[in-house]
Amino acid sequence: QVRLVESGGRLVQAGDSLRLSCAASGRTFMTYPMAWFRQAPGKDRVFVAAISSGGAATRYADSVKGRFTISRDNAKNTVYLQMNSLKPEDTAVYLCAGDSRGPLSPQTDVTSYDYWGQGTQVTVSS
């Protein structure tokens, strides 16, 4: 069993940077591909970024490519999302997810992930 807890979300201004963290409990964390999704009010949960179990492979949504960076530290059981040049449209609840069932490569589909955190709110003001 893996428990995911996100942190780092807050109110920032457009153009600012922010780093989110996702702390995982459970010794099998290092074997899971991990991802960040986000969900704005009244909208579906959408893919942001994903990383393979070892960290060598990453994938990004087009909307964040070049601005966001996903990384992981398996020794600390933590996944990060570095967000630069934030825009008001980045405002959402950001959720961390883990994939214990699929391939080791990072997936973009929300249904690929079976472990989810509660989320952390990121608000970007214009």
Side-chain angles (χ1 to χ4, degrees):
Q1 190 74 13
V2 174
R3 181 169 177 257
L4 305 176
V5 179
E6 302 93 335
S7 63
R10 61 183 177 90
L11 172 65
V12 296
Q13 293 187 331
D16 284 353
S17 297
L18 199 59
R19 188 176 82 158
L20 305 182
S21 299
C22 172
S25 63
R27 59 180 178 168
T28 56
F29 163 81
M30 66 179 66
T31 67
Y32 298 172
M34 300 291 294
W36 287 94
F37 287 77
R38 65 187 182 188
Q39 189 165 20
K43 296 189 176 181
D44 292 335
R45 193 168 296 184
V46 298
F47 170 75
V48 175
I51 189 167
S52 61
S53 57
T58 57
R59 300 180 70 176
Y60 295 93
D62 288 342
S63 59
V64 307
K65 203 170 292 184
R67 299 189 298 123
F68 291 11
T69 302
I70 188 171
S71 62
R72 67 191 297 163
D73 185 338
N74 285 344
K76 296 182 178 180
N77 278 8
T78 303
V79 177
Y80 303 99
L81 185 68
Q82 177 66 43
M83 305 186 293
N84 298 329
S85 303
L86 282 161
K87 304 175 181 180
E89 51 263 44
D90 294 320
T91 294
V93 173
Y94 283 71
L95 302 108
C96 178
D99 174 10
S100 72
R101 304 167 300 186
L104 298 179
S105 58
Q107 305 298 304
T108 63
D109 194 299
V110 65
T111 61
S112 297
Y113 295 88
D114 52 336
Y115 287 105
W116 292 89
Q118 293 298 308
T120 186
Q121 176 70 46
V122 173
T123 303
V124 185
S125 65
S126 58

